[in-house]
Amino acid sequence: MTPGALGPAGDIRPAAPAAPRPALTTPAPSPSAPDPIPVLAPSALRTAPDPVPFPSEFRAAPDPVPLPSEFRAAPDPVPVPSRIPAAPQPAPTAPGLVPDPVPAVLGPVPDPAPVPAVLGPVPDPAPVPAVLGPVPDPAPVPPEILAALALTRPLPAVSAVLRGALHARRMLLLKSLLVRVDRARGVLPAAVRRRFEDDWTLLERAERTDAAAVRAVLDYPTTGAWLAAALAAPDGPDFADGLAGLGALAVAAALRAGCRFRTTRTLPAGTLPLPGIGLLRCARGPVRLSGRAGALRITDGSGRTLLLPGPAPAGPGTRWSADGALAWSALHPLPGGTAVLDDVDPHRVPAGGIGPAALPAAERPYADPAAWAARWRDAHALLAATHPARAAETLALVRAVVPLAPSAGGAPPVSATVRTAPGAVLAQLPADRRELAELLVHETHHTKLAVLDELVPLWRPGGSLHRVGWRRDPRPVPGVLQGAYAHLALLDLWGRARTGPARSWRRRAAERFEVCREQVAEALSVLAESDELTPCGREFVRHMGSHHARLGTAAHPPG
């Protein structure tokens, strides 16, 4: 199966069967390409009216700013400028970075053979409300960065821009959560308010100890999914319950930072997920956590203790206390980079599952970490031999791989990326290294476009539908753009692979190159004629067309 899945917010793709990361820190940007988007730390959010140069869709205006109708009509729980339109868009769901008109999960993969059953878009767990007050309009994306993104070029400077934009978005949502809590003080139970304050204080202390470690936790994919769900929760018990996620975030940040702390947690569901690190299960009563230099001591209500040595309790697998009442499940690192196989975080897959079959996440011990590690290692070796820069880009942007449960009845494999959690690839295990290499490139480009659209909107809401070669169902313009972009990256990859060092990949790559070249050409023609693209969107598509033309020339040299 070819990775034709749409990425971080769009179609779900039946694709080759295909996480935080082994290291507990985020890879530092290249010294020559620092993050171009300055951001403030959590400790600055209380006093900063505008925590970051926000995405361009948040402009200083009394009225809500029209955006891709990413947030459905709903009363805003926070009386601040909202991203929620007055009513749901009637236009069909699209495969982009947002639920409407850009759905939450991106999907299907092209195949020379007849396109397999198409999986529908998976909506985001819930709309994300809220942005805070008037926000300055940031400088536009530098033209050279926009062009490099449109050309699918795997450059360190581009990855640095995307990492900076993702972090700015997380800080914006975290600030939104803080504002909502402050405004709900009169209705939140006193115990909930105290716990939130304690958790925020721990987060600030971790930041003072190691700001980079805190950023690694904030930018982890499932942190975005939790923030989206917490902000979308209605006032009352649901919102109060959602705030507990800040405690998990703070504990994870403190562990990564190696700072000393003690805290007692009540776990209604019996679990405490630590983003990018692992999952604690406790069967009896409240749990006491003591951290120091990355080591963690866990004591349950009956006095049973589990000690996890540092730094930042790593070591894949699950450890149990003698009576089985306490268990710690650490994430499995994937070889050669900083990504991890995440098979425990409860926010890793939307509540409704993936695709029409509502595929859930594969649960430990059925995630098969050994098979994933071997396939990942082989796929990256293949990518590195074929296009080293592309291999480096996937290592820089993919933070987590989330195994999905098998499909019933021999259905085509599925992979997807959720808009609220860019950097996580949700997938069933691919059949071989070629399929995983293609899948990773495809999903990485859905992530790239998802993050870019948070910086500068590429399309406007609209209702037109169009046929594309990689889907059976007609797609709205955002879906056409998402699919064309991911397939253009695959076209570039297959153009290299058909003459590359891996002989076993050459014939497959040559066949798929020819099919995909025509499909992308048709999609680019649709986009060029659309009036639903913004000026930046039109410029982006123009660059995509130039790259497609060059690839076509290389495929059929004169004479």
Side-chain angles (χ1 to χ4, degrees):
M1 318 287 148
T2 324
L6 296 115
D11 312 338
I12 301 171
R13 84 142 184 228
R21 44 167 191 258
L24 292 173
T25 56
T26 309
S30 163
S32 61
D35 282 359
I37 302 176
V39 294
L40 298 181
S43 59
L45 290 183
R46 287 188 184 277
T47 56
D50 298 318
V52 290
F54 295 133
S56 58
E57 57 264 42
F58 305 118
R59 307 185 189 281
D63 297 327
V65 181
L67 293 175
S69 64
E70 141 181 23
F71 305 115
R72 304 178 190 276
D76 195 334
V78 184
V80 294
S82 165
R83 298 182 70 179
I84 303 176
Q89 292 290 329
T93 308
L97 321 165
V98 292
D100 257 5
V102 189
V105 182
L106 307 174
V109 176
D111 212 293
V115 182
V118 177
L119 303 177
V122 173
D124 278 340
V128 181
V131 207
L132 324 170
V135 184
D137 192 12
V141 177
E144 64 275 13
I145 295 297
L146 186 71
L149 277 163
L151 298 171
T152 75
R153 287 179 179 166
L155 303 177
V158 170
S159 295
V161 168
L162 295 173
R163 285 194 300 266
L166 173 64
H167 188 65
R169 173 68 175 167
R170 292 293 163 80
M171 296 296 284
L172 173 65
L173 295 178
L174 194 61
K175 172 71 172 179
S176 296
L177 188 67
L178 179 62
V179 167
R180 184 174 174 188
V181 169
D182 285 344
R183 292 177 176 177
R185 287 187 176 279
V187 295
L188 282 174
V192 173
R193 297 198 308 270
R194 284 194 301 271
R195 172 55 65 197
F196 185 88
E197 291 295 332
D198 290 346
D199 293 339
W200 193 277
T201 299
L202 179 57
L203 185 62
E204 290 181 340
R205 189 146 56 86
E207 174 212 2
R208 289 191 295 271
T209 303
D210 188 340
V214 174
R215 175 167 177 168
V217 175
L218 289 174
D219 295 353
Y220 188 71
T222 58
T223 299
W226 162 70
L227 276 167
L231 284 168
D235 287 331
D238 288 346
F239 181 58
D241 290 346
L243 294 179
L246 183 67
L249 191 72
V251 170
L255 278 173
R256 282 185 182 271
C259 64
R260 199 167 180 172
F261 69 93
R262 290 184 181 178
T263 182
T264 300
R265 301 276 149 184
T266 300
L267 311 179
T271 62
L272 179 68
L274 302 185
I277 302 178
L279 179 75
L280 171 66
R281 295 180 177 87
C282 178
R284 287 196 288 261
V287 60
R288 298 190 301 279
L289 305 174
S290 301
R292 182 178 183 181
L296 182 65
R297 179 183 294 274
I298 308 164
T299 306
D300 68 9
S302 64
R304 289 283 186 180
T305 296
L306 193 60
L307 180 61
L308 306 174
T318 299
R319 304 182 189 182
W320 301 84
S321 61
D323 62 353
L326 271 177
W328 167 253
S329 298
L331 300 183
H332 295 270
L334 292 169
T338 56
V340 296
L341 191 75
D342 194 334
D343 55 355
V344 296
D345 195 299
H347 298 288
R348 67 194 187 277
V349 172
I354 301 296
L359 290 176
E363 299 291 345
R364 188 173 293 193
Y366 306 108
D368 203 350
W372 269 107
R375 199 68 41 82
W376 172 274
R377 180 180 55 249
D378 293 346
H380 271 286
L382 181 62
L383 271 180
T386 305
H387 192 184
R390 190 73 71 194
E393 179 183 62
T394 60
L395 288 175
L397 296 180
V398 175
R399 296 278 307 275
V401 171
V402 175
L404 294 176
S407 302
V414 174
S415 75
T417 304
V418 178
R419 181 190 60 82
T420 56
V425 174
L426 286 62
Q428 294 167 323
L429 183 67
D432 58 39
R433 63 177 186 161
R434 299 170 304 176
E435 291 188 357
L436 181 54
E438 294 164 356
L439 182 156
L440 289 172
V441 169
H442 189 101
E443 297 296 346
T444 296
H445 281 76
H446 284 307
T447 281
K448 289 165 69 174
L449 197 56
V451 176
L452 175 63
D453 189 63
E454 295 289 354
L455 275 177
V456 51
L458 301 177
W459 58 79
R460 307 180 184 92
S464 62
L465 294 176
H466 308 274
R467 292 285 178 183
V468 291
W470 50 84
R471 291 286 298 247
R472 289 181 175 174
D473 52 335
R475 309 304 299 152
V477 165
V480 177
L481 178 57
Q482 278 282 356
Y485 184 59
H487 287 84
L488 182 62
L490 283 175
L491 192 62
D492 186 294
L493 176 68
W494 285 325
R496 299 168 190 272
R498 62 192 175 150
T499 58
R503 294 184 180 180
S504 62
W505 203 8
R506 290 177 186 171
R507 175 178 292 183
R508 168 194 176 101
E511 292 173 351
R512 300 200 171 185
F513 181 92
E514 292 303 325
V515 173
C516 187
R517 189 165 64 90
E518 296 303 321
Q519 292 175 337
V520 173
E522 293 172 1
L524 288 174
S525 177
V526 168
L527 293 169
E529 297 173 2
S530 173
D531 61 359
E532 295 178 27
L533 296 178
T534 64
C536 276
R538 289 194 295 273
E539 180 70 4
F540 192 82
V541 167
R542 186 182 69 78
H543 286 302
M544 288 175 62
S546 298
H547 187 42
H548 178 267
R550 284 193 293 271
L551 290 172
T553 300
H556 300 285

